[in-house]
Amino acid sequence: MSQKKDKRKVQSEKAIIEAGIKVLISNSSASLTDIAAAAGIGRATMYRHFDTREALIRTIARICLEDVEAALEPIADLRGKMAFEDIFNILVPLGDRYHFLTQLWRLVEQDEEWADINTQQIDDLKMLIDDAKTIGDIKTELPTVWVSTFFESTLYAAWELVQSEGIPASDAAKFAQHSFFKGCEK
């Protein structure tokens, strides 16, 4: 009996997380009641899992970060163009997770832990860009901050294509790679 309850609890929490991502991306002021309805659960069930909207958002942000970091882990040793190609291939299909983080970051950015994570991700991207410049895969005359912003914008455009136009993530990743390297490659 206890195992059955635990399984149901895990399933309802997963439903809440997935619904929370979708609902909050489209309406950042959505309430827990809105999210519960989208998850197909009652308000009481929602409040058994998350007593505040902020607690749910923090949990979703943590899960999204973990999903993105876990997906990128296998390519941690890649450099230059190969690294960026794989990053696009990995992150475009995870667009909802990354999009959630970028759209709702302001809701958790005052928290020191989240600010540190964000700073580390920005620093990692800049180091990857600087390394790609060193090995000749990105034009050295382009400011790193511009390349970083261009990368993020290109990634965002790919997600928009997937979400709004129904283009397969693999195609959107290829379009993003092409655009990024046409603008930055030596």
Side-chain angles (χ1 to χ4, degrees):
M1 181 89 136
S2 174
Q3 209 171 20
K4 189 174 184 177
K5 278 187 178 181
D6 288 343
K7 187 176 180 179
R8 279 198 330 231
K9 183 177 180 178
V10 168
Q11 287 174 332
S12 59
E13 188 163 311
K14 283 182 180 181
I16 292 167
I17 298 300
E18 293 305 315
I21 290 169
K22 288 181 177 83
V23 170
L24 289 166
I25 285 174
S26 63
N27 177 8
S28 63
S29 62
S31 68
L32 285 179
T33 303
D34 298 332
I35 296 165
I41 62 167
R43 284 182 351 154
T45 300
M46 170 64 87
Y47 284 100
R48 275 194 295 276
H49 288 277
F50 301 99
D51 56 347
T52 66
R53 185 174 174 278
E54 291 73 27
L56 173 61
I57 290 170
R58 294 177 75 74
T59 299
I60 293 172
R62 180 185 47 77
I63 289 169
C64 289
L65 279 170
E66 289 170 356
D67 289 351
V68 168
E69 287 177 359
L72 291 172
E73 184 64 32
I75 66 162
D77 294 332
L78 292 181
R79 299 177 66 199
K81 186 173 182 176
M82 286 180 57
F84 281 101
E85 287 173 344
D86 279 1
I87 290 169
F88 280 118
N89 288 333
I90 291 167
L91 291 184
V92 171
L94 290 176
D96 61 342
R97 264 80 174 131
Y98 205 82
H99 190 73
F100 178 87
L101 292 170
T102 59
Q103 292 291 71
L104 296 170
W105 191 258
R106 62 184 161 67
L107 300 174
V108 293
E109 70 183 340
Q110 280 76 29
D111 184 288
E112 190 174 315
E113 177 187 1
W114 296 112
D116 289 346
I117 292 168
N118 186 46
T119 299
Q120 184 61 53
Q121 288 179 338
I122 291 167
D123 291 347
D124 289 348
L125 179 59
K126 287 179 178 177
M127 286 185 344
L128 184 62
I129 291 166
D130 289 340
D131 182 57
K133 287 179 177 183
T134 301
I135 62 175
D137 285 348
I138 291 180
K139 297 174 189 171
T140 56
E141 64 271 16
L142 295 175
T144 299
V145 69
W146 185 89
V147 176
S148 172
T149 302
F150 183 53
F151 171 80
E152 290 175 355
S153 299
T154 306
L155 189 56
Y156 184 82
W159 295 327
E160 282 298 313
L161 278 177
V162 171
Q163 272 193 315
S164 64
E165 301 297 322
I167 290 177
S170 58
D171 290 347
K174 287 177 188 165
F175 300 152
Q177 292 166 8
H178 177 79
S179 300
F180 180 73
F181 285 110
K182 285 296 179 186
C184 297
E185 194 172 32
K186 267 191 157 185

